Amino acid sequence: GAERFSTDWRDALADSIDLVDISTPNHLHEEQAVALLSAGKHVIVQKPITPTVAGAKAIVDTAARVGKQAAVYMSDLEDAVAWDFRDLVQSGYLGQIT
């Protein structure tokens, strides 16, 4: 029922789009997020944000520079085990996590 769709992520650079969910292979996230943020889009990136710290920093720095939001979507948050693990970490049961 979608009015339009595309198999090319660059089509999300269109003026009529405000927010893009990036769920492509991890090694593509940096290029896509930086380009989309630079085009004035907010982005949600499927975890991991990028394979490298430098790539993640490029996304964060671009979002700050252009005044748009960049977020990471963690699909496992719907899984009760993820919440149990969070509780273990927050309670200190696993020690200090770094």
Side-chain angles (χ1 to χ4, degrees):
E3 292 180 21
R4 64 183 179 165
F5 66 91
S6 175
T7 58
D8 185 345
W9 70 269
R10 290 168 195 84
D11 290 337
L13 295 167
D15 287 339
S16 60
I17 295 175
D18 299 315
L19 171 82
V20 179
D21 179 339
I22 300 174
S23 296
T24 55
N26 303 338
H27 69 279
L28 301 174
H29 292 177
E30 178 186 357
E31 173 193 5
Q32 294 170 352
V34 167
L36 291 159
L37 287 161
S38 296
K41 316 300 178 195
H42 299 288
V43 298
I44 301 171
V45 182
Q46 176 67 14
K47 61 134 178 87
I49 190 168
T50 67
T52 67
V53 172
K57 186 172 181 343
I59 293 171
V60 170
D61 290 349
T62 301
R65 180 176 50 80
V66 301
K68 294 297 176 181
Q69 297 294 313
V72 178
Y73 174 70
M74 301 190 63
S75 58
D76 290 339
L77 288 178
E78 292 90 9
D79 187 341
V81 172
W83 292 99
D84 291 342
F85 185 67
R86 181 196 70 148
D87 292 343
L88 289 171
V89 170
Q90 288 181 340
S91 72
Y93 181 80
L94 299 174
Q96 183 175 350
I97 307 295
T98 57

